[in-house]
């Protein structure tokens, strides 16, 4: 997962390299009153890779954000 405060410019990353059907990632060092743009890349055990469309969210107060589960 790559994310950052500008569309298409992902300056931070969070990863989970284990092969689970469901994932949960913490995005750290978020600033309040800031919109972030996120893109996911997933690779299965066979090496098939998929990348999500970009989406955004706004942090209203400074805290940790847990992203929703994306299931295949």
């Amino acid at each position: 997962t790559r994310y950052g405060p500008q569309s298409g410019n992902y300056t931070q990353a969070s990863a989970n390299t284990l092969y689970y059907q469901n994932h949960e990632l913490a995005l750290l060092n978020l600033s309040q009153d800031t919109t972030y743009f996120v893109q996911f890349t997933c690779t299965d055990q066979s090496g098939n890779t998929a990348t999500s469309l970009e989406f955004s969210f706004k942090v209203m107060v400074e805290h940790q954000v847990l992203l929703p589960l994306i299931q295949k």
Side-chain angles (χ1 to χ4, degrees):
T1 302
R2 302 177 307 148
Y3 59 102
Q6 294 179 342
S7 178
N9 184 18
Y10 311 111
T11 57
Q12 297 169 285
S14 181
N16 183 340
T17 58
L18 301 176
Y19 292 105
Y20 292 121
Q21 185 173 2
N22 300 316
H23 293 275
E24 182 177 286
L25 295 170
L27 303 183
L28 306 175
N29 302 316
L30 301 176
S31 298
Q32 67 184 33
D33 198 35
T34 301
T35 298
Y36 286 89
F37 298 86
V38 181
Q39 188 175 55
F40 293 101
T41 299
C42 301
T43 304
D44 66 16
Q45 291 176 321
S46 297
N48 301 306
T49 299
T51 300
S52 72
L53 296 174
E54 178 181 86
F55 70 93
S56 64
F57 65 92
K58 184 171 185 175
V59 176
M60 302 304 286
V61 294
E62 194 168 345
H63 66 282
Q64 178 177 323
V65 173
L66 294 178
L67 297 176
L69 289 175
I70 296 178
Q71 297 184 9
K72 183 177 178 183

